[in-house]
Amino acid sequence: MSQENVEVVRAIWEADRRRDWDAVFAAYDGEVVWEDHAGLWGDWGVARGPDGIAEAWRRWHEAFDEVRFDFGEVAHDGDVVIVTYDIHARGRGSGVEVRQPVTLVWWLTGGKVVRISAYLTRSEALEAAGL
């Protein structure tokens, strides 16, 4: 199932690039949890459920525009998919350009995302995923 899970995560990324939020949230379990261990999302901490994640993203997009995540290196094992992304953004008020790598660990069950954890380094993410 691991390659199928990679395709689910890739489809979420592609839907996000199109700003197709219905497709993004359709891939999430109703009890999905997003944990920010990277500190990139300010006061995000832990967002729960699709509505909580949508609200957290809304706050994040208030601070940044021209946000882009470039899909990078992938590792996977069973129900866990790890992807390193390059985030490109511009501060909405300051105009300062930001470029930051982040690695997300995606946990899936039955083809649905049940948990996402963000880490600043790939090694932290791999360790958290037990890989």
Side-chain angles (χ1 to χ4, degrees), residues 71-104:
F71 200 90
E73 188 177 355
V74 176
H76 56 87
D77 184 29
D79 290 335
V80 178
V81 177
I82 296 116
V83 182
T84 299
Y85 302 84
D86 278 322
I87 301 173
H88 303 268
R90 181 184 316 276
R92 188 173 298 280
S94 67
V96 171
E97 290 193 31
V98 176
R99 182 169 183 230
Q100 174 69 50
V102 65
T103 300
L104 300 182

Side-chain angles (χ1 to χ4, degrees), residues 20-35:
D20 181 353
W21 308 125
D22 290 337
V24 169
F25 290 112
Y28 290 170
D29 179 82
E31 302 297 317
V32 64
V33 174
W34 188 311
E35 305 165 325

